[in-house]
Amino acid sequence: MTPKQIERIKNKIGKIKRELAADKKHWGGFYHDGRGLRYLPPELYLKLNDYSGALRYFNWFDKNFPEDSGFPIFLFEWTITLFKKKKIHLAEKKALETFYSNNYLIDIFLGNDILDFSKSENSNWECSSLVEDLKYSKNQEELNDFAKWIENFTKTETFYSFANTLIKIQSKLITEPVGKKRSELINKKYKLLENLK
């Protein structure tokens, strides 16, 4: 990137931060952010390879939006950041959270065939179409080390066990009618995510 491009990205980050601060002021000390500006900075930090800046941003996000689970690509950017900052245990948890929010994203990043199985997709975030045009790829030089790491992590017992349990639950939810058994399955699915916190 040219110095001008870098400057443009930094200015964009600054503008978003100012708009978020104005949003908080407007709502009497609380964030509303109906435009979803809070999700934009990580991609910009990653373009700059500024992982320290990205990590500071994610820490700010976690503090100011504790109930916001983010969305799959945002969680994936968080995983990259944690890995790059050598916070491997946290990166593993965030990778599992990413898989939980979208079962296809990691495979698309790695250039693998997409898992083809019947499952209940309760939100748009869970669909394969969300990540078909993913901006990140294992072929990006800056992400080579991350790609090797996440590929190895998907072969661990930790990932395998988590993924299989989640997929089994999602598959059962397709045909399970409303009732006690369905509620138990949904609770079991949410427990998987809670156990990562």
Side-chain angles (χ1 to χ4, degrees):
M1 269 193 292
T2 66
K4 217 170 210 175
Q5 288 170 319
I6 291 168
E7 196 57 37
R8 255 200 303 270
I9 292 171
K10 286 181 177 177
N11 288 339
K12 202 181 262 191
I13 292 170
K15 185 179 179 208
I16 292 167
K17 285 183 175 180
R18 286 191 299 278
E19 288 184 38
L20 285 169
D23 179 71
K24 184 178 182 181
K25 189 176 178 186
H26 177 77
W27 295 99
F30 299 96
Y31 289 99
H32 176 260
D33 189 27
R35 295 186 292 163
L37 292 173
R38 65 191 179 277
Y39 302 122
L40 304 178
E43 180 188 340
L44 300 171
Y45 281 113
L46 294 188
K47 275 183 181 174
L48 296 171
N49 299 330
D50 180 2
Y51 303 110
S52 295
L55 186 58
R56 276 193 304 276
Y57 183 81
F58 282 121
N59 288 337
W60 172 87
F61 178 90
D62 212 19
K63 183 181 170 193
N64 289 282
F65 298 95
E67 303 300 315
D68 189 337
S69 58
F71 64 98
I73 294 167
F74 184 82
L75 294 171
F76 189 65
E77 291 165 340
W78 204 333
T79 307
I80 293 169
T81 300
L82 289 167
F83 169 79
K84 291 289 192 174
K85 292 304 293 175
K86 309 215 179 322
K87 297 184 179 294
I88 303 304
H89 181 65
L90 293 174
E92 288 175 353
K93 284 183 167 187
K94 205 54 80 175
L96 293 173
E97 211 176 314
T98 300
F99 183 82
Y100 182 96
S101 68
N102 186 293
N103 303 157
Y104 309 104
L105 194 154
I106 293 172
D107 278 330
I108 287 174
F109 170 76
L110 291 172
N112 297 338
D113 291 333
I114 291 179
L115 285 172
D116 186 23
F117 59 95
S118 296
K119 65 174 182 134
S120 171
E121 292 179 343
N122 295 319
S123 82
N124 293 339
W125 298 138
E126 296 180 37
C127 300
S128 60
S129 59
L130 175 78
V131 292
E132 281 171 0
D133 298 318
L134 187 67
K135 293 177 184 177
Y136 304 102
S137 145
K138 70 173 185 178
N139 299 323
Q140 289 168 263
E141 193 179 333
E142 181 54 36
L143 297 178
N144 281 346
D145 55 347
F146 172 75
K148 283 177 194 150
W149 171 77
I150 203 160
E151 185 166 23
N152 288 333
F153 179 59
T154 61
K155 294 172 184 169
T156 63
E157 181 55 36
T158 301
F159 186 90
Y160 188 77
S161 171
F162 180 90
N164 275 347
T165 303
L166 178 62
I167 289 166
K168 277 180 193 165
I169 293 168
Q170 288 173 322
S171 297
K172 286 179 184 172
L173 281 170
I174 292 174
T175 55
E176 192 59 47
V178 174
K180 188 179 174 194
K181 183 91 191 277
R182 183 176 183 81
S183 295
E184 285 171 2
L185 284 169
I186 290 168
N187 286 337
K188 194 175 174 185
K189 183 181 175 188
Y190 286 129
K191 268 274 191 301
L192 270 178
L193 191 58
E194 282 172 20
N195 292 339
L196 296 177
K197 306 293 181 195

